[in-house]
Amino acid sequence: MQKRSGPDGEVRERLTAVRHEVAKAVVGQDAAVSGLLVAMLCGGHVLMEGVPGTAKTLLVRSLAASLSVETRRVQFTPDLMPGDITGSMVIDSHAGELSFREGPVFTNLLLADEVNRTPPKTQSALLEAMEEGQVSVDGTTHRLPSPFVVAATQNPVEHEGTYPLPEAQLDRFLLKVVLPIPVRDAEIEVLTRHAAGFDPRDVRAAGVSAVASGADVEAGQRAVRSVQVSPEVAAYIVDIARATRESPSLSLGVSPRGSTALLRAARAWAWLSGRDFVTPDDVKSLAHATLVHRLGLRPEAELEGVDVAQVLASALGSVPVPR
């Protein structure tokens, strides 16, 4: 393993220390924290799925506190309008002129809570901002801050009154992370912390402090772009994508955008692991989080109760690993 020293190494140490800080407030969600860090280093966005009460909001707030970046939360509802997200033109009472009032999307880390509860028009406004890094109002373009990451949540068990994200919009998310119910020991730790006076609305009181900054994230993004990918590893990623397209259980396989996303995520994970090159294990580690939400089951497979994650695992297993 080839380690990096110097400024890159210092930036990586500060970003990896974020996990320890978040763990002071959030128990048992290490995979989700790692996924959010990878997304930040790629300039991508995360779809978080978990039943209510699995610390999705607390996780994002703790991450923002440990990175010393601005965060905002928007509760998506059926009556939310696009301007409520992006901002709108309002009359300045002093000057008597129209001026742009920024919406909550103008932040570093946006928690879009229950994004599938709002109509497609509002979903599209957010997804356009995610894709372009800017919003346009009345013909004027406004750049979003950097770094800018959206952590959108959806409830996997309650679908009444929701507007499921179509495949083309799901494809815009770099990763999908699932926040499971914590194991027994972790849940006991949660209750112990609450019994000792832990307040989830005050992460600073839990000891979470800023160990990195937005500048560190941007420096990490630049470093990740120099991580090398061998032709064999690139071919491995392409073969995984092609295996999903050939699966008889899937109506929708991984597109070239999905292949590129897996490449980006694997590079970020390699860099966080202290290497300047990607290994097949990096690809396998990120494959499920990067690809599973981009796949569509055939109707007959759904009726048979086929799990899309199992189909992806089978496709992964069918591709020879380069040596």
Side-chain angles (χ1 to χ4, degrees), residues 15-310:
L15 289 176
T16 51
V18 166
R19 296 176 188 165
H20 175 71
E21 289 302 309
V22 174
K24 294 178 180 177
V26 181
V27 180
Q29 302 293 3
D30 296 338
V33 177
S34 296
L36 282 165
L37 278 175
V38 165
M40 281 192 145
L41 287 169
C42 295
H45 308 281
V46 179
L47 183 62
M48 302 166 63
E49 190 172 274
V51 299
T54 48
K56 296 186 290 292
T57 302
L58 178 61
L59 172 60
V60 172
R61 291 179 62 242
S62 302
L63 181 66
S66 64
L67 284 170
S68 188
V69 296
E70 185 182 350
T71 183
R72 293 187 185 179
R73 174 180 179 270
V74 177
Q75 179 65 52
F76 280 65
T77 56
D79 60 350
L80 199 70
M81 299 296 291
D84 297 330
I85 303 295
T86 61
S88 57
M89 301 300 292
V90 297
I91 298 177
D92 188 325
S93 57
H94 298 292
E97 299 176 348
L98 282 172
S99 61
F100 177 66
R101 183 175 61 190
E102 295 181 348
V105 77
F106 286 85
T107 188
N108 298 120
L109 186 55
L110 177 69
L111 176 61
D113 230 344
E114 295 191 286
V115 69
N116 57 334
R117 289 220 169 273
T118 204
K121 187 174 182 180
T122 305
Q123 290 176 0
S124 296
L126 173 65
L127 289 159
E128 180 184 4
M130 290 163 52
E131 185 71 14
E132 305 295 335
Q134 62 186 31
V135 297
S136 297
V137 178
D138 278 7
T140 303
T141 298
H142 304 270
R143 294 291 305 174
L144 298 177
S146 180
F148 172 63
V149 175
V150 173
T153 74
Q154 60 179 12
N155 184 340
V157 295
E158 188 180 354
H159 300 292
E160 186 174 344
T162 63
Y163 303 84
L165 291 170
E167 285 79 3
Q169 294 184 358
L170 283 171
D171 204 34
R172 305 288 178 177
F173 287 95
L174 180 77
L175 301 175
K176 176 183 177 181
V177 297
V178 177
L179 282 78
I181 296 292
V183 297
R184 183 174 182 273
D185 289 347
E187 193 167 0
I188 291 173
E189 174 65 19
V190 172
L191 267 63
T192 302
R193 291 186 183 189
H194 278 263
F198 171 69
D199 182 357
R201 291 164 294 189
D202 187 3
V203 295
R204 297 291 186 190
V208 178
S209 58
V211 294
S213 65
D216 288 321
V217 174
E218 292 182 304
Q221 290 175 349
R222 291 190 294 270
V224 164
R225 288 194 285 269
S226 67
V227 173
Q228 298 175 8
V229 182
S230 70
E232 293 80 11
V233 170
Y236 180 51
I237 293 172
V238 169
D239 289 343
I240 290 171
R242 295 179 71 83
T244 65
R245 297 170 202 155
E246 295 166 1
S247 170
S249 299
L250 297 177
S251 60
L252 182 68
V254 174
S255 69
R257 178 188 286 138
S259 305
T260 305
L262 181 52
L263 173 68
R264 292 163 59 202
R267 290 173 92 180
W269 187 246
W271 183 81
L272 277 173
S273 302
R275 280 178 279 103
D276 62 0
F277 59 92
V278 176
T279 69
D281 284 341
D282 296 325
V283 175
K284 292 171 74 173
S285 297
L286 273 298
H288 277 269
T290 310
L291 303 180
V292 73
H293 59 290
R294 305 173 195 271
L295 305 176
L297 284 172
R298 293 188 184 278
E300 55 269 30
E302 281 194 79
L303 289 173
E304 294 171 5
V306 174
D307 181 34
V308 70
Q310 292 176 340

